[in-house]
Amino acid sequence: MANSYDVIVLGSGPGGYVAAIRCAQLGLNTAIVERENLGGICLNWGCIPTKALLRSAEIFHYMQNAGDYGLKAQKIEADLEAVVKRSRGVAKQLNQGVAHLMKKNKIAVHMGEGTLTGPTSLTVKGEKGEEKLTAKHIIVATGARARDLPFAPADGKRIWTYRHAMVPPEMPKKLLVIGSGAIGIEFASFYNDMGAEVTVVEMLDRIVPVEDHEVSAFLEKSLTKQGMKILTGAGVEDLKADAKGVKAKIKDKSGKVADHEFTHAIVAIGIQPNTENIGIDKLAEMDRGFIQIDDYGRTKSKGLWAIGDCTPGPWLAHKASHEGVTAAEAIAQELGNKEVHPHALDRRNIPGCTYCHPQVASVGLTEKAAKEQGYDLKVGNFPFIGNGKAIALGEANGFIKTVFDAKTGELLGAHMIGAEVTELIQGYTVGKQLETTEAELMQTVFPHPTLSEMMHESVLSAYGRALHI
């Protein structure tokens, strides 16, 4: 049958399209269903286009501070329309890249709204009408969307989600950012660098609350120094928008409520899984809209799998891609492939990155979490100011922190803040995956001059052996 496959993937984000490619690599007849753009939120409205925006803001920041590098630059201006155009061009290029990968791997693409009619069947409603598809296995990878404030849904004019913030109708003069997770802080950083007056409201007692407490404190101090206003332990009680701007009632940590006015607001308070109206409810166990799965992506229904942001967190693109590969290999194994050996995802080894200025990156347990789990610790900390390359780059603010099990030398966690740390964290991630101890890290030769030398020094610091501080 033309519409019968070994595997159908519902959703083409970084989880879905990677799962489809891996299935095809394993010789499975594979199809993918997408209702909007190949590449999903990440490539079109998330991870990649936001980094293009942040890159423009970073260069603008350097140009404004050219004198720090012995250079002169005059009449520096930002063209927001051109910045956004570049970002959309990057997204389009990657979307076309995914289409090429589907063709290269002979994956059938069905554009339209997919709805499950059973564990191994679904319908697709597209421009050409409705078609029925069946498969031996289906992987649900429908992702998630921004969660609205219940009393003030985004209108795209004055109250924005991340999608609106990536294609702004105008440059905000006075911006309220509600929520200080990765999305909120990245947009706060972008618009602050572009010249907006930014206020961040976080209901918890510190910003980027999933990070180590020392990282949170350092980032708050840095962003405040850049001109941002940070309100922690605070909440937005009411938010109303009109043609002129946004009026907010904000309760501070003392319980006092005050009126504030802004030109725009970005709501970044979490995500909502895209699992409504796709026929999943009776086929899988659900918790607050998220599909419950085992360590390989299986749901309670045989033949039905789920990966990515529509399943429990952390909600990260690289976690979704890894789950996609795992599910694909587990499916191939069930279909008789004896050459594949899927491994369950170890959530302790999933790195997280926030691309603000300065950048933040981490993997594993924070110092507090490790103590709460009963570990006796060795903790290292090395500052950027002690690194020659950081000083040469003019980026001497930040630090790298490592957390070890004092009894075994196991690397429990690593936490970084500073220039390019999102490119450094994978070194520690590989180390954790290989179950590296402090001994192997100490004996590793790190190239000079590089920022990576701080990774070595942080390990040495944990054992009282730091050389350059």
Side-chain angles (χ1 to χ4, degrees):
M1 294 176 63
N3 287 342
S4 182
Y5 301 92
D6 291 323
V7 181
I8 297 172
V9 182
L10 180 58
S12 72
Y17 85 77
V18 168
I21 290 172
R22 186 64 183 128
C23 285
Q25 287 176 341
L26 293 167
L28 303 178
N29 183 19
T30 306
I32 198 162
V33 177
E34 173 55 53
R35 68 179 180 182
E36 191 174 0
N37 302 114
L38 288 173
I41 291 296
C42 177
L43 269 64
N44 294 283
W45 294 102
C47 315
I48 303 302
T50 56
K51 303 312 160 288
L53 293 176
L54 286 160
R55 177 62 168 166
S56 293
E58 180 183 35
I59 292 174
F60 186 47
H61 171 80
Y62 283 131
M63 292 172 71
Q64 290 176 311
N65 294 276
D68 293 344
Y69 299 89
L71 305 173
K72 292 182 180 180
Q74 298 176 342
K75 297 182 180 180
I76 304 302
E77 294 180 356
D79 183 342
L80 183 63
E81 184 178 348
V83 168
V84 171
K85 183 178 179 181
R86 175 181 180 272
S87 171
R88 299 317 306 154
V90 170
K92 182 179 179 181
Q93 181 179 343
L94 290 167
N95 167 263
Q96 293 171 342
V98 174
H100 167 74
L101 289 171
M102 296 300 99
K103 184 177 181 180
K104 175 186 175 183
N105 288 280
K106 298 181 174 56
I107 297 166
V109 177
H110 297 265
M111 297 301 295
E113 193 87 27
T115 305
L116 296 166
T117 55
T120 56
S121 61
L122 54 77
T123 60
V124 181
K125 292 182 180 179
E127 292 182 358
K128 298 180 181 179
E130 181 175 301
E131 57 182 339
K132 297 181 180 179
L133 309 180
T134 61
K136 296 173 184 175
H137 295 267
I138 291 178
I139 301 173
V140 178
T142 49
R145 62 189 183 278
R147 188 183 297 276
D148 271 323
L149 283 172
F151 52 82
D155 59 14
K157 298 177 181 178
R158 295 291 176 180
I159 303 176
W160 300 343
T161 64
Y162 60 82
R163 288 187 69 146
H164 306 122
M166 274 190 285
V167 287
E170 66 267 332
M171 176 68 188
K173 294 180 180 178
K174 194 173 182 182
L175 176 66
L176 170 65
V177 178
I178 306 170
S180 74
I183 293 173
I185 285 296
E186 286 182 3
F187 277 114
S189 187
F190 168 72
Y191 280 108
N192 186 70
D193 278 346
M194 295 295 285
E197 182 182 335
V198 178
T199 298
V200 177
V201 174
E202 170 56 55
M203 65 179 295
L204 298 179
D205 62 353
R206 56 191 178 92
I207 60 172
V208 288
V210 301
E211 301 294 343
D212 188 87
H213 67 282
E214 289 189 73
V215 169
S216 294
F218 192 99
L219 181 60
E220 180 172 346
K221 183 178 179 181
S222 178
L223 295 179
T224 301
K225 187 176 180 180
Q226 293 174 41
M228 262 189 233
K229 186 176 182 180
I230 308 288
L231 301 175
T232 55
V236 176
E237 301 287 293
D238 190 37
L239 193 68
K240 286 186 169 59
D242 57 30
K244 296 181 179 179
V246 177
K247 295 180 179 179
K249 291 185 181 295
I250 300 175
K251 179 190 287 187
D252 64 20
K253 62 178 62 178
S254 70
K256 181 181 178 181
V257 178
D259 293 325
H260 299 262
E261 293 187 2
F262 305 90
T263 59
H264 301 80
I266 296 175
V267 178
I269 57 171
I271 63 167
Q272 178 72 32
N274 294 323
T275 53
E276 308 97 332
N277 306 314
I278 63 168
I280 191 72
D281 297 38
K282 296 180 180 179
L283 301 174
E285 183 181 344
M286 310 293 288
D287 181 13
R288 295 172 294 127
F290 293 99
I291 305 168
Q292 302 302 294
I293 57 174
D294 71 5
D295 290 339
Y296 296 87
R298 298 181 183 89
T299 70
K300 71 175 185 180
S301 296
K302 184 174 177 56
L304 184 63
W305 308 66
I307 60 173
D309 285 1
C310 62
T311 68
W315 299 293
L316 301 166
H318 42 282
K319 175 253 194 184
S321 295
H322 194 93
E323 285 181 323
V325 171
T326 299
E329 293 180 352
I331 287 170
Q333 190 178 59
E334 287 195 10
L335 292 176
N337 188 325
K338 297 180 180 179
E339 300 299 317
V340 293
H341 305 283
H343 295 275
L345 176 66
D346 187 342
R347 294 172 185 271
R348 299 171 302 173
N349 296 341
I350 302 173
C353 299
T354 303
Y355 299 82
C356 48
H357 180 232
Q359 294 181 5
V360 173
S362 62
V363 65
L365 297 177
T366 63
E367 181 181 357
K368 181 181 178 182
K371 286 180 178 177
E372 289 174 347
Q373 292 188 23
Y375 286 101
D376 183 19
L377 302 179
K378 294 272 190 183
V379 179
N381 197 314
F382 191 84
F384 272 51
I385 193 66
N387 177 262
K389 180 67 176 290
I391 295 171
L393 291 174
E395 297 285 0
N397 293 315
F399 65 84
I400 294 180
K401 179 177 180 178
T402 45
V403 181
F404 290 90
D405 181 349
K407 294 181 180 178
T408 65
E410 178 189 357
L411 176 63
L412 300 174
H415 311 276
M416 310 177 173
I417 183 166
E420 303 303 327
V421 295
T422 58
E423 298 294 338
L424 297 178
I425 193 63
Q426 193 60 19
Y428 284 134
T429 304
V430 171
K432 279 183 59 58
Q433 186 67 28
L434 296 176
E435 299 182 347
T436 299
T437 69
E438 93 290 350
E440 287 85 9
L441 291 168
M442 285 182 181
Q443 293 163 13
T444 299
V445 178
F446 287 76
H448 174 79
T450 64
L451 297 176
S452 70
E453 290 174 278
M454 292 183 288
M455 298 171 65
H456 191 214
E457 290 278 11
S458 181
V459 176
L460 294 172
S461 170
Y463 290 83
R465 292 176 50 184
L467 298 169
H468 291 94
I469 198 71

